[in-house]
Amino acid sequence: MSQRAWVASAIRKIEADYNRSADTHLIPIDLPGFPGIDVYLKDESSHPTGSLKHRLARSLFLYALANGWLREGCPVIEASSGSTAVSEAYFARLLGLPFIAVIPASTSPEKIAAIEFHGGRCHLVERACELNHASQVLARETGGHFMDQFTYAERATDWRANNNIAESIFKQMAEEPHPVPEWIVCSPGTGGTAATLGRYASYRRHDTLILCADPEVSIFYDGYCAALQGADWRDMTCEGGSRVEGIGRPRVERSFIPTSVDAMVKVPDELSLAAMRHVSATLGRRVGGSTGTNFVGVLHVARLMRDAGRSGSIVTILCDAGERYAHSYYNPDWYVQQGIDVVNADAAIAAAVSGQGALALPCAWLEASPYRS
């Protein structure tokens, strides 16, 4: 089969897979201390591969195919904290391509099992900052293609339309009491989702503001602050890896576009995981840690809205299900090993949800807003 014919066949398979899929649900969640403010979770855990990254993986494969980067029989390599690799393994198997996931050694065993279930092979590295280099080496050695989600996420996604996550949210909100969200809250993994949300809101001329919630061990917040001050931010790094899997990075990734985000907050891990437990208890099913980080961001902007006397809606993302973290976030021994205070963090989230307590988070703003004089 010629390269052009193979690419056409591969794209057809991905489009057929998309046509067989339903959209993800938008779930209301009560915030008792904030009357007049409606909160919704965009449940990305219902994708075939169980996370928000299913959308990204589809876009990355289509982008690479259209650019002529993928070839029949040649391996696909990706650097990932786990969820993107699960989704890319799914699409690689759909196209009959070998897949190698380059992931941190600390990645949850549940994610590793999911990658292997979809036919992928895992290459473990000790430090998160080594993922890209190891991926490039593997691509050269195998004659494969390094997908490089952290560079191409923001450009592979068709942010104007094509049922991206932003378009989906606004369509699903159309019949709600406040159909245009006051805020959409997300967290940075590649930066691609934040860029898509911010670009779409601007393109459609919505007044919606985008808040990006960065976990404790991550450089995105610092990079955002540097960008606002006109300083060089593109090569900033930090030590360590995020305990909130799927979000947070030790370097500011190329897909992160600071000017597409209206505000950022920095969220301590103990609050992210307490919020995760609150959302899980409220929904009656487990969610992942990144959803907790997002929910802390929701509590932050809900208080801003209430203090400013504003009503409206807030949408955030339920990134993945908690079953992938049975060994960690849902294991009491893990909290002891990590030295994370559960009792006080749970109390802080409960107080914030009731409207009786405020979460003191570092916050940075792109420009003046109704909440910032």
Side-chain angles (χ1 to χ4, degrees), residues 282-295:
T282 302
L283 296 181
R285 61 187 175 96
R286 290 177 172 181
V287 302
S290 52
T291 302
T293 305
N294 289 343
F295 193 72

Side-chain angles (χ1 to χ4, degrees), residues 270-333:
E270 63 182 26
L271 291 182
S272 290
L273 299 174
M276 173 201 76
R277 293 190 292 274
H278 171 83
V279 173
S280 296
T282 302
L283 296 181
R285 61 187 175 96
R286 290 177 172 181
V287 302
S290 52
T291 302
T293 305
N294 289 343
F295 193 72
V296 173
V298 167
L299 294 172
H300 182 80
V301 296
R303 190 170 186 90
L304 290 178
M305 289 175 67
R306 191 184 68 177
D307 290 350
R310 300 176 72 89
S311 59
S313 58
I314 305 169
V315 178
T316 193
I317 302 170
L318 194 167
C319 303
D320 62 1
E323 283 69 27
R324 290 179 174 178
Y325 311 100
H327 77 292
S328 55
Y329 307 149
Y330 292 95
N331 177 4
D333 293 339

Side-chain angles (χ1 to χ4, degrees), residues 102-123:
V102 181
I103 58 177
S106 59
T107 299
S108 72
E110 294 87 355
K111 285 184 180 178
I112 292 174
I115 293 166
E116 293 174 344
F117 172 81
H118 290 296
R121 177 165 68 87
C122 295
H123 178 89

Side-chain angles (χ1 to χ4, degrees), residues 120-195:
R121 177 165 68 87
C122 295
H123 178 89
L124 305 182
V125 299
E126 290 300 323
R127 302 173 63 209
C129 60
E130 297 170 349
L131 292 178
N132 275 33
H133 176 70
S135 299
Q136 291 164 353
V137 170
L138 274 173
R140 286 196 300 269
E141 290 176 350
T142 63
H145 172 65
F146 173 30
M147 197 68 88
D148 196 1
Q149 59 164 325
F150 296 110
T151 295
Y152 295 110
E154 58 89 9
R155 65 193 78 173
T157 301
D158 184 356
W159 50 267
R160 294 177 185 86
N162 195 27
N163 195 38
N164 64 54
I165 191 169
E167 182 184 45
S168 178
I169 286 170
F170 280 96
K171 282 185 175 180
Q172 290 177 317
M173 286 292 293
E175 301 301 325
E176 299 301 313
H178 305 285
V180 176
E182 185 89 353
W183 288 92
I184 298 178
V185 179
C186 66
S187 46
T190 60
T193 298

